[in-house]
DNA sequence: TGTACATCAGTGAACGCGCGTTCACTGATGTAC
DNA sequence: TGTACATCAGTGAACGCGCGTTCACTGATGTAC
């Protein structure tokens, strides 16, 4: 299948999203500007508006891309066949949550920011819902195998979400820098998430 | 004890901190500017620099104030005599964490932001350490009464912190808006934190 | 194959804006005698 | 009580900056015939 022959740049809108990640890595979300993104993409400062309308548009597309990849990562963990039972896969999904945040900090920093993003955007909503579904499915599977019998799924979901999201944000903000005794974030996440086994 | 007679305004630096909270409530941390703070305090735009040096200085003082109040709130919950045993007080401390975040959103939004704050500021470091101590003390007391025997305190602390911090941030960012069946955040927090009892 | 035309990606000048910071100053307050 | 002086809180003009957005445009690409 031959790629669509693009116009001038080739594939500017993808490239702008890549550059967005780089800029956020360098100067943070707050420091991101359309003009800097354009500059690094080697394109005039008006170009991004052509593809994304405005700054919010760019960030919405960026967050959507993040949620798509996030959903993939969670699904992969949830469906992994390495671990025998559903409870283990549930834990692995939680670890994947934290790992994704650390490995894709730029995306993660924008994904949950309704102040920066157009939350009513259809693609955005769909991608974030799909990611959340992975968490729910992992919990339901674990519960079907006897985990937390009789407890409301929604409550379990909030608990799992809070724990992983809290770990991720605390780590990214540098608040866990003093925690010793763990090789990396994943090891810490594994230890923390294993606590409420059974 | 008569109050110190102040200079012109009376107590401008306290007032500036109050106004900072109002501005953040209205336009978010990202939208905060020294000029707007000065404007709302009815003072020239150069005045804040006089008290706080620069923007980072203002935010550092604001975050420090937040941590001081936060520490008080956690300590009050940890030492509350309403609940009989240490495990209950540990849970109450967690609920207080979430409750503080929701009731003092402006402060909370700045407290954990090393990108906005001078983390090496002594008063800031002291206030945040003190708050963290409350969490540790609550856990140690619970453990002394048989909670999570043999588990590393640090791991327990990270788990508790992650859970409460995650709840708080998810709630504040509006991500738990769809969760039904709970009267308010505190009820949700209570349910979530009660899960890993025993 | 060649030509005329339509499309649309990207340009670059221009706009108006609010910001943080600096700095010489004013004038209110407190203090020494 | 009164006067001279020192302190310092707050003023306001000025600076230079980068930003988001708009818009008439250029010119490369694709298409119809």
């Amino acid at each position: 299948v031959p790629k669509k022959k693009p116009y001038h740049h080739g594939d500017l809108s993808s490239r702008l999203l890549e550059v967005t990640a780089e800029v956020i890595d360098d100067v943070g979300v707050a420091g991101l500007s359309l003009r800097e993104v354009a500059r690094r993409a080697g394109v005039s400062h008006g170009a991004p508006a052509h593809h994304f309308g405005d700054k919010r548009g760019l960030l919405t597309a960026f967050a959507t891309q993040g949620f798509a990849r996030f959903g993939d990562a969670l699904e992969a963990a949830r469906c992994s066949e390495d671990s025998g039972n559903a409870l283990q896969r549930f834990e692995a999904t939680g670890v994947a949550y934290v790992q994704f945040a650390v490995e894709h900090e730029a995306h993660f920093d924008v994904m949950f920011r309704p102040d920066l993003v157009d939350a009513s955007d259809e693609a955005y909503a769909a991608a974030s819902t799909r990611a959340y579904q992975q968490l729910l499915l992992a919990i339901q599977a674990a519960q079907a195998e006897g985990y937390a019998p009789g407890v409301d799924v929604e409550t379990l979901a909030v608990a799992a979400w809070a724990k992983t999201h809290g770990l991720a944000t605390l780590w990214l903000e540098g608040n866990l820098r003093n925690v010793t005794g763990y090789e990396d974030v994943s090891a810490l996440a594994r230890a923390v998430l294993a606590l409420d086994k059974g």
Side-chain angles (χ1 to χ4, degrees), chain A:
Chain A
V1 181
K3 292 185 183 177
K4 267 195 275 183
K5 272 284 181 58
Y7 284 86
H8 304 78
H9 172 282
D11 199 4
L12 184 57
S13 62
S14 311
R15 181 63 192 140
L16 289 173
L17 293 178
E18 287 175 21
V19 170
T20 296
E22 293 168 16
V23 174
I24 295 176
D25 283 341
D26 284 359
V27 300
V29 198
L32 179 94
S33 73
L34 287 183
R35 291 175 102 108
E36 177 63 17
V37 169
R39 226 172 276 134
R40 297 213 198 180
V43 108
S44 80
H45 64 255
H50 214 277
H51 292 273
F52 300 106
D54 58 12
K55 193 178 180 183
R56 182 174 296 270
L58 173 68
L59 288 175
T60 302
F62 185 69
T64 303
Q65 179 184 71
F67 266 118
R69 295 179 183 174
F70 190 44
D72 291 348
L74 295 184
E75 186 174 30
R78 179 178 72 78
C79 300
S80 133
E81 294 180 356
D82 293 355
S83 32
N85 65 52
L87 178 53
Q88 284 167 338
R89 285 193 295 269
F90 171 37
E91 280 180 35
T93 307
V95 175
Y97 191 112
V98 177
Q99 214 159 13
F100 180 91
V102 171
E103 286 169 6
H104 303 81
E105 178 166 1
H107 282 94
F108 192 81
D109 281 350
V110 177
M111 284 159 55
F112 297 93
R113 293 285 299 274
D115 54 324
L116 300 178
V117 147
D118 176 12
S120 70
D121 179 87
E122 270 189 38
Y124 171 80
S128 69
T129 300
R130 175 174 160 256
Y132 184 66
Q133 287 306 315
Q134 302 307 315
L135 198 59
L136 271 188
L137 289 169
I139 292 174
Q140 283 166 340
Q143 231 180 355
E145 288 193 8
Y147 170 74
V151 180
D152 176 33
V153 190
E154 198 176 38
T155 306
L156 288 176
V158 172
W161 193 8
K163 222 171 191 177
T164 51
H165 195 80
L167 268 176
T169 54
L170 287 173
W171 179 272
L172 290 179
E173 280 162 343
N175 289 302
L176 301 181
R177 231 172 262 141
N178 297 325
V179 176
T180 58
Y182 293 97
E183 214 177 281
D184 55 17
V185 210
S186 299
L188 177 58
R190 238 174 280 125
V192 166
L193 296 177
L195 282 180
D196 52 13
K197 205 171 279 189

